[in-house]
Amino acid sequence: MPRIRVLLLIGLGLVLTFIVVMQIADRPPAPEQQELGPAAAAPLGPEFRIGAARSAIRRQPRLCSTSFSARQFVAQVRAVASLTDPSGQRQVQGLPLFNADQVRLVVDDSTCAAVSRVLGGYIKSGAFPRQHRLPPITLTVVRAGPKYFVRDVRSPGLLNHGESLVMVDTLQPPPKPGYVLPGPCWQWCCAPGRWTLLTPVTLRRDPSLTAPSIGQVSANAAVDADTGIAIVDTVGLVVVRAPVWSEYINDTLPPGDTLLTLHWTKVEDDDVPHYTAWWRGLVRYVDRFWDSARGSRAQVMRAPHWNTWIRMATTNGGTRVRGWAMMTRDIQVGPSCLE
């Protein structure tokens, strides 16, 4: 009988030990130390103050590295801001101009996930290390003015190691009607300069048909055009139905991926339009790899529509007038705009 009691006590001790070990193994890891700058996210709201919710958040994999090496990388990017010569030009070619106070370590996992999803082209070009992981992957992401500096957390991370660093354009939210696209070509005239208008136009104070008129430009008048914009009133939509390759994106787009098209142009001797589109937070040129047929790999669901406005100045009755003209297909421009 005493032997049975001893065995029962030993068995109970083993069970309790197993339970304690499992609880320790299931304990969520401590959150990484974060460097929060003035542009950091706002403090967590009341809905995140519950202990269970906080534990659930900590168990999610971190996509933004905030380790000590990440903070070193921030210091390196800030140091780049001072690399200018007396004329104010960047000594390191290819780096954008920015101020040191613009440099921030990104701690928002959704931003880092979006950055990691656009690295496919950089990886294929050899500018970023090849990955054996599927996106999203953990990265060190530093925002500096109009660019994101991106480093693989497994790389040394020094700025003189080109294989470990890329720069990604600032991620932009999906465009909505009223989106302004700078610098589009209008018919043959893509460059600013002296134009000859063969048809009359109305100049407005702002690039809008509801803006007040500030003057008329008569036919055969010479104008000085300096700025062109396209205002997109209908954002196009392309939906990927099956894996499809894009030459300009240099990647295979998976089913369910989408593009928001904004504008298209045709070059001389080429009837195939080339589009400007929003894709995964970047506004970029894309080839037309889609069709309108229902069974195609990528299908256009909605075409974009925009109005092109040119800001121009002319002398009218001895007075210099500058305003915006909406350039429709009916407006003709002389060959002087090519000079």
Side-chain angles (χ1 to χ4, degrees):
M1 197 67 175
R3 181 178 298 177
I4 295 178
R5 290 180 180 177
V6 172
L7 292 176
L8 288 175
L9 291 174
I10 293 174
L12 181 60
L14 291 175
V15 171
L16 292 175
T17 301
F18 177 78
I19 293 174
V20 171
V21 171
M22 291 302 295
Q23 287 180 343
I24 294 175
D26 191 51
R27 182 178 300 170
E32 294 181 88
Q33 185 178 1
Q34 297 183 0
E35 178 179 304
L36 301 179
L44 296 178
E47 65 274 17
F48 292 108
R49 294 172 184 168
I50 303 174
R54 189 183 299 112
S55 297
I57 292 173
R58 283 199 297 263
R59 291 176 183 176
Q60 298 298 323
R62 291 286 304 175
L63 300 177
C64 294
S65 174
T66 55
S67 62
F68 176 74
S69 62
R71 295 195 296 276
Q72 285 183 316
F73 188 58
V74 172
Q76 292 170 352
V77 175
R78 285 183 178 144
V80 172
S82 62
L83 298 178
T84 57
D85 60 22
S87 65
Q89 298 298 316
R90 180 71 64 194
Q91 289 181 346
V92 181
Q93 296 299 321
L95 293 179
L97 291 172
F98 58 90
N99 296 323
D101 58 2
Q102 293 178 297
V103 178
R104 295 288 184 272
L105 178 64
V106 177
V107 297
D108 180 7
D109 283 340
S110 62
T111 301
C112 292
V115 169
S116 71
R117 291 190 178 99
V118 301
L119 290 176
Y122 297 94
I123 293 174
K124 291 180 179 179
S125 69
F128 199 74
R130 184 164 298 279
Q131 304 292 321
H132 301 289
R133 300 164 291 172
L134 295 177
I137 59 178
T138 302
L139 299 166
T140 299
V141 181
V142 174
R143 181 168 183 173
K147 297 286 185 180
Y148 286 106
F149 286 74
V150 187
R151 182 182 68 84
D152 187 347
V153 295
R154 300 175 303 175
S155 300
L158 299 178
L159 289 180
N160 58 358
H161 287 71
E163 73 280 358
S164 66
L165 171 73
V166 298
M167 286 181 297
V168 178
D169 289 338
T170 298
L171 301 179
Q172 302 185 28
K176 299 179 180 179
Y179 182 86
V180 177
L181 191 66
C185 292
W186 174 77
Q187 293 189 10
W188 305 278
C189 299
C190 295
R194 176 62 61 92
W195 295 5
T196 299
L197 295 177
L198 303 182
T199 50
V201 299
T202 300
L203 294 183
R204 299 186 179 275
R205 182 177 300 169
D206 300 304
S208 171
L209 290 176
T210 60
S213 171
I214 60 174
Q216 301 288 326
V217 180
S218 60
N220 299 316
V223 298
D224 295 313
D226 61 8
T227 305
I229 62 172
I231 299 181
V232 182
D233 52 43
T234 301
V235 178
L237 174 63
V238 175
V239 177
V240 178
R241 303 296 189 188
V244 60
W245 171 264
S246 169
E247 179 182 0
Y248 279 33
I249 295 178
N250 193 29
D251 200 358
T252 298
L253 280 69
D257 209 345
T258 59
L259 284 90
L260 300 180
T261 54
L262 303 169
H263 180 267
W264 58 263
T265 57
K266 291 182 180 179
V267 298
E268 189 176 357
D269 300 328
D270 189 357
D271 291 333
V272 178
H274 297 275
Y275 283 74
T276 300
W278 179 93
W279 179 69
R280 299 184 181 180
L282 302 178
V283 175
R284 58 190 302 167
Y285 291 108
V286 297
D287 52 317
R288 180 170 177 168
F289 56 84
W290 55 84
D291 200 349
S292 58
R294 185 173 296 274
S296 59
R297 290 180 175 270
Q299 183 181 1
V300 55
M301 309 299 296
R302 184 176 62 244
H305 183 270
W306 66 93
N307 291 314
T308 301
W309 292 80
I310 302 294
R311 191 176 68 175
M312 58 184 66
T314 186
T315 302
N316 191 352
T319 303
R320 192 68 171 172
V321 180
R322 183 187 301 273
W324 293 87
M326 189 174 76
M327 309 300 284
T328 66
R329 294 181 179 274
D330 297 330
I331 297 177
Q332 300 295 320
V333 179
S336 61
C337 73
L338 298 179
E339 298 178 356

